[in-house]
Amino acid sequence: MSFTLAGVGLTHANGFTALADVSLAAQRGERIAVIGPSGAGKTTLLRLLGAALRPTAGNISLLAADPWALSASGLRRLRSHIGVVHQAPPLPPRQRVVTAVLAGRLGEWPLWKSIASLIYPADIAGAREALARLDLGERLFDRCDRISGGQLQRVGIARVLYQRPDLILADEPVSALDPALARQAVNVLLRDAEARGATLVASLHAVDLALAGFPRIVGVRDGRIVFDRAAAEVSETMLHELYAAEGSELPTLAREPRQAVAPVDGGAVLTGARCR
Amino acid sequence: MNAGLPLRDPAARGRATALIVALVVLWPLLVVAEFKPAALFDAQNLRVTGNFLAAFLPPEAGREFLGFLARATLETLAIATAGITLALLLAVPLALLTTRVLAVAEIGPGPGQGRAAILHHGLRVLLTVLRGIPELVWALLFVRVFGLGPAAGVLALGLTYGGMLAKVYAEILESGDTKPARAILEAGGGRLQAFLYGLLPGNAQELTSYTVYRWECAVRASVVMGFVGAGGLGQLMDQAMKMLNGGEASTILLAFLALVLAADAFSGLLRRQLAAAGLRHRHAGVGPAGGGVIAALAAVVLASFLFLDLGFAALLTRESAQLIGEFLGAFLTPDLTPVWLGKVAYGMLETLAISAIGTLLAVAAGFACALPASGRLGRYAGQSSRFVLNALRSVPELVWATLTALSVGLGPFAGVLALALHTTGVLGRLFAETLENAPPAPHDALRDAGARPLAVFLYGTLPEIAPQCAAYALYRWEMSIRMAAILGFVGAGGLGQLLYFELSLFHHAQAGTVIAAMLLLSLLADAASARLRRGMAAG
């Protein structure tokens, strides 16, 4: 799915400007990594692209249409083509993994099928196939509160794989995984996007992970785009400048602190070094 | 699991079994509860109900009637106040005697431990009996000794609430920090000293707050007790209903709602003041403000007793002593013939069926109201559904039962509807609160992935709220079992109808069996819900 942001800004009701004057465009099938220090506006950028937040300035066009000019059902149809991998997987703790994965296609299924699937899972094979790509096939019938945080984050990825969206938005999708699993999970996303010609935008904290797999890198700091280059053109100097506020060392997979991720229940979800 | 094998959901068999078991259990319950919604739309019933409801407007506002109404309202308040006072007099010594941390013999264990244990368990059994028999049953019995009027209501409240207060007081005292009391006992202090210096300072606020809350419940209970002739608004309401006087009924209902809301607000205000007072600087001792409050309370209590002009002296006459003796004798030798036991067992089953079906209906209706009430369908829908829920909740089950008995005829189905109406109000509010507190992330994620609103609810919100809602439903079911046992007093089936009937025929031995069955049911409900709640807390 192609998208265009033109002079987009987002200022919250309390006066805080999360993004200002962002212009960014992508063709169908592009794979983009968004990097930058904590609080730079990466999550906000992805939420704007997912039509989950409405910008306060500028224009957004997804698949050549302004999502906020569509009718309610038009917006719903558009959103069913967008899949989001959340940093904290938004999965109810008492839901089973199979149901959580199948929920990826709720936007596509007719209502009767959504209800019937609660009584007997509609597509066990499909859910298992998506989970198997992340080595989780055997956790199919476990409850979400009975698996580890790293497994839960991969269930969130499997849901989007099962959804087969045209635009994949991944917000720090591997923050709870160890380096080997993180590389594997990002590669699964990259291969899936490439195979289906889907567009992939992922925000990543580990710079080496971004540079290794993504052809295009967008650097964000203080709510603005600092650079937008092909991976080969990104220099050490540009990166140090981007992360100047975080010290002299660049965040990489090996140095990145793991985050604890739990199924969503009540208030606090994330505990870890970069909790905002 | 091999990838080549066809995949099956391992939970499917369990789910199918549970569904079949539920249907197999539900079907006889529906039959026993005489569940026949068609009765609601029966032309004859519709006409009677319609005429009665049409007469609600305009409410009766004659000067003479309003005079009666004001007197009855005052009487209701006085019954509640006097009843709570009696309950306190009963509960404080009982609570002190049943609180284990106040027993010096428990230390060691020391001398007299066996005697202390016997006293402790004996009194706990007494408390269970006192609160296990509903206040309405006590009231019904006392009306037979004292005749119609408030005395029966005051005594009934005193006994039931005395049992309840004593149990909860003991629980509060044992749940906090008990080391100060123990230190006093170890230093040679007595039970009362250990209480006053060791437990009271830490628990005074909670104890007072709970007592105020119970007073609020007593106001509601004393309205309801009027239906068996124990004075106050309820008695007036009963007369208006029996004469199908819609105008009077609607005025009384309005007065009743105003009274309940006022008691609710007043008790809330008092409890907030109490909580705030705990944070302020304290005087040594009671202090001038505290002294004023105590004097005012004493004046109100005295005024209540004087206003009611209770003929407790009648308790002491030879005639009533003989009557009470006869009663006790009859109830202690209940009718245990197989035929009668079978009838009572069916009454218990009917009571269970009424409570189960009523609660199930309320769960469904409560959910339907909770969705708009939680503000998910816009502000206007939210406000109007909250209003409906409040109205349903403020009318007690027994008052609903007098109305439903009119619209579907006497029998268990009227009880089902009455329970369902009141419980919908309670559960709807609790469900709405649960919905508002549900974590939004799963819901938002599915909405942003283009799922339909109903699918978003089923996949994103329902799994989050289901355990809490189930716990609320179970808790209400427990209350409904107790309530279903007495709805029969106005003709809505179950054990209550049996008891009312036998008492009017002076069949005291048979009535004794029914009361024993009510006690048993109440104990079973207690035990079952405690077990279920423990099970749910475990996972």
Side-chain angles (χ1 to χ4, degrees), chain A:
Chain A
M1 187 193 282
S2 60
F3 64 79
T4 314
L5 303 185
V8 163
L10 185 96
T11 304
H12 288 288
N14 62 12
F16 174 72
T17 302
L19 276 187
D21 195 27
V22 167
S23 294
L24 185 70
Q27 295 305 310
R28 178 175 180 273
E30 275 202 73
R31 280 153 286 145
I32 305 171
V34 179
I35 59 172
S38 299
K42 303 191 293 286
T43 299
T44 307
L45 178 61
L46 291 186
R47 285 170 61 75
L48 285 171
L49 283 174
L53 266 184
R54 190 172 186 158
T56 47
N59 290 312
I60 286 192
S61 135
L62 300 171
L63 209 63
D66 177 358
W68 302 105
L70 293 172
S71 67
S73 62
L75 179 59
R76 202 174 65 68
R77 266 197 303 279
L78 175 69
R79 281 170 165 170
S80 71
H81 295 287
I82 303 173
V84 182
V85 182
H86 297 260
Q87 187 180 6
L91 309 175
R94 299 175 74 92
Q95 198 163 54
R96 293 193 301 169
V97 167
V98 60
T99 316
V101 172
L102 292 180
R105 268 190 216 168
L106 286 180
E108 189 184 315
W109 284 354
L111 195 55
W112 66 264
K113 194 170 176 186
S114 316
I115 295 171
S117 178
L118 282 177
I119 297 161
Y120 191 89
D123 183 9
I124 297 178
R128 187 178 144 84
E129 188 270 331
L131 286 164
R133 283 153 79 180
L134 294 153
D135 297 334
L136 280 177
E138 75 285 4
R139 308 315 297 259
L140 196 54
F141 296 113
D142 284 332
R143 248 168 56 170
C144 285
D145 55 357
R146 301 282 157 84
I147 61 177
S148 74
Q151 288 172 332
L152 195 71
Q153 199 165 41
R154 284 182 287 155
V155 170
I157 297 175
R159 176 195 270 196
V160 171
L161 292 180
Y162 182 70
Q163 185 185 351
R164 295 174 312 184
D166 298 323
L167 172 61
I168 305 174
L169 302 170
D171 185 12
E172 309 225 1
V174 293
S175 57
L177 305 181
D178 64 53
L181 277 174
R183 250 180 229 111
Q184 185 211 359
V186 166
N187 281 335
V188 168
L189 278 173
L190 282 166
R191 276 204 306 274
D192 181 67
E194 196 173 6
R196 295 189 297 107
T199 310
L200 170 65
V201 182
S203 79
L204 292 167
H205 201 69
V207 174
D208 48 346
L209 195 57
L211 291 173
F214 289 81
R216 183 174 164 192
I217 310 288
V218 172
V220 184
R221 195 181 63 200
D222 298 333
R224 288 170 190 281
I225 291 183
V226 183
F227 60 80
D228 180 358
R229 297 286 181 85
E233 296 170 18
V234 177
S235 70
E236 195 88 344
T237 331
M238 290 161 72
L239 291 174
H240 276 292
E241 208 168 289
L242 185 65
Y243 287 101
E246 290 198 347
S248 56
E249 288 197 275
L250 291 177
T252 59
L253 259 187
R255 266 200 295 278
E256 198 179 4
R258 295 279 87 70
Q259 290 189 357
V261 171
V264 178
D265 191 11
V269 179
L270 279 168
T271 49
R274 283 181 292 128
C275 226
R276 288 192 286 267

Side-chain angles (χ1 to χ4, degrees), chain B residues 401-428:
Chain B
T402 57
L403 291 169
T404 54
L406 262 183
S407 53
V408 297
L410 299 178
F413 186 48
V416 168
L417 288 181
L419 268 185
L421 284 167
H422 177 82
T423 311
T424 297
V426 179
L427 283 183

Side-chain angles (χ1 to χ4, degrees), chain B residues 194-363:
Chain B
F195 167 67
L196 290 176
Y197 285 83
L199 289 183
L200 192 60
N203 295 303
Q205 189 201 316
E206 201 178 342
L207 292 173
T208 322
S209 173
Y210 185 76
T211 312
V212 172
Y213 164 71
R214 269 291 149 198
W215 172 79
E216 177 198 330
C217 300
V219 172
R220 264 173 287 190
S222 57
V223 172
V224 168
M225 282 190 303
F227 278 88
V228 296
L233 272 180
Q235 202 165 342
L236 211 58
M237 178 85 182
D238 192 38
Q239 287 158 9
M241 298 293 268
K242 281 195 175 126
M243 293 188 288
L244 287 183
N245 190 330
E248 285 189 5
S250 71
T251 310
I252 300 168
L253 217 49
L254 286 176
F256 166 63
L257 288 185
L259 183 65
V260 168
L261 290 180
D264 199 47
F266 182 61
S267 123
L269 180 80
L270 272 184
R271 280 184 283 159
R272 272 195 302 281
Q273 292 284 327
L274 273 170
L279 301 174
R280 278 201 299 270
H281 172 73
R282 286 169 188 246
H283 293 273
V286 173
V293 170
I294 289 174
L297 270 180
V300 168
V301 168
L302 193 65
S304 300
F305 276 101
L306 288 178
F307 179 77
L308 292 176
D309 189 21
L310 300 170
F312 282 144
L315 255 182
L316 305 173
T317 65
R318 185 186 213 154
E319 213 177 316
S320 59
Q322 204 179 350
L323 202 55
I324 292 173
E326 269 173 39
F327 261 114
L328 269 180
F331 288 129
L332 290 178
T333 51
D335 183 351
L336 296 177
T337 54
V339 180
W340 183 244
L341 279 183
K343 227 173 156 181
V344 173
Y346 187 79
M348 278 177 87
L349 180 66
E350 196 170 88
T351 302
L352 272 178
I354 293 172
S355 67
I357 307 290
T359 311
L360 277 179
L361 284 180
V363 167

